[in-house]
Amino acid sequence: DCGDVQADVVVVALGAYTPKFLQPYTKICVPIYPVRGYAVEMPITPQASANNEVLRTGTLHYSRGFGVHRFDDVLRVSGLAELRGWDTSVNRDLVIDLFRKRLKTFCGLDLDHVSGGVQNVKTWCGLRPVTPDNLPMIGQIPGYSNLFICSGHSFHGWALACGSARILADIIARRNPEIDATPFDPRRFRHWW
């Protein structure tokens, strides 16, 4: 805590934690909910990476709720969705088993072969900020001339970050965004406030 901070404009972009941050200051109920997403991360063994397209380039199974991403010699499998509030605990065996089945069924990969064994697999859970209509909230918070929100991007936060920032920068500068920002206007939830 550094005390009060003076600012001409305040942008709240805290993902799932946006409502918890805003509520004490604004008394506004921001309809962004934490949805648990899981991930496993593992080293890719040399014998596994040879001649496997998924391990070389990654893949996204959007309709099946998971993606496979490679970062150098590490494979990350992430996805799934669960409504459990703010709980970020992980049942390691269950999460590994869920992703083991998905890798085998949809990618033809054996998790144990890829990782060299489950002892090499890391698991974690993160909270995704989801709105009732699955669209982010980008714009001015009603009733506050200098308070803006850019949050609620669901499962697409990293992919939409730059575009959302551009839209919000245009709104703050009172310029017309390059795309119609009406679908993202926080006022669409005014009946919640």
Side-chain angles (χ1 to χ4, degrees):
D1 183 3
C2 297
D4 291 344
V5 176
Q6 299 295 317
D8 294 330
V9 172
V10 175
V11 175
V12 181
L14 298 171
Y17 296 93
T18 297
K20 281 189 167 196
F21 177 82
L22 280 174
Q23 209 283 325
Y25 301 106
T26 65
K27 306 298 185 221
I28 290 174
C29 177
V30 177
I32 294 176
Y33 304 99
V35 175
R36 289 165 51 110
Y38 296 97
V40 295
E41 194 171 89
M42 64 200 83
I44 302 172
T45 59
Q47 63 271 25
S49 61
N51 300 319
N52 187 295
E53 184 70 21
V54 172
L55 291 179
R56 282 197 312 275
T57 63
T59 186
L60 181 63
H61 287 274
Y62 189 77
S63 64
R64 295 179 176 115
F66 78 103
V68 180
H69 313 280
R70 182 175 182 152
F71 302 96
D72 295 323
D73 291 329
V74 174
L75 189 72
R76 180 181 298 159
V77 186
S78 59
L80 308 176
E82 183 179 23
L83 296 169
R84 288 213 7 219
W86 299 96
D87 177 13
T88 57
S89 62
V90 175
N91 179 330
R92 177 180 162 74
D93 294 337
L94 176 65
V95 170
I96 288 174
D97 191 51
L98 288 169
F99 284 118
R100 174 185 279 123
K101 289 175 181 171
R102 280 166 174 73
L103 281 172
K104 186 70 167 172
T105 303
F106 301 116
C107 302
L109 295 173
D110 181 277
L111 181 137
D112 297 293
H113 178 71
V114 170
S115 67
V118 294
Q119 72 277 6
N120 298 321
V121 178
K122 297 177 190 173
T123 61
W124 76 90
C125 168
L127 300 174
R128 299 176 179 128
V130 179
T131 63
D133 61 6
N134 271 330
L135 294 174
M137 297 173 73
I138 305 171
Q140 185 175 355
I141 299 279
Y144 297 86
S145 62
N146 66 341
L147 183 58
F148 295 83
I149 187 171
C150 188
S151 191
H153 292 80
S154 299
F155 305 82
H156 310 291
W158 287 106
L160 299 176
C162 293
S164 296
R166 176 66 186 266
I167 291 170
L168 188 57
D170 286 340
I171 291 169
I172 291 169
R174 302 192 193 294
R175 297 185 301 255
N176 288 326
E178 290 183 32
I179 66 166
D180 178 12
T182 305
F184 314 119
D185 190 328
R187 289 176 294 185
R188 72 187 189 274
F189 295 117
R190 64 185 161 270
H191 60 280
W192 292 70
W193 303 330

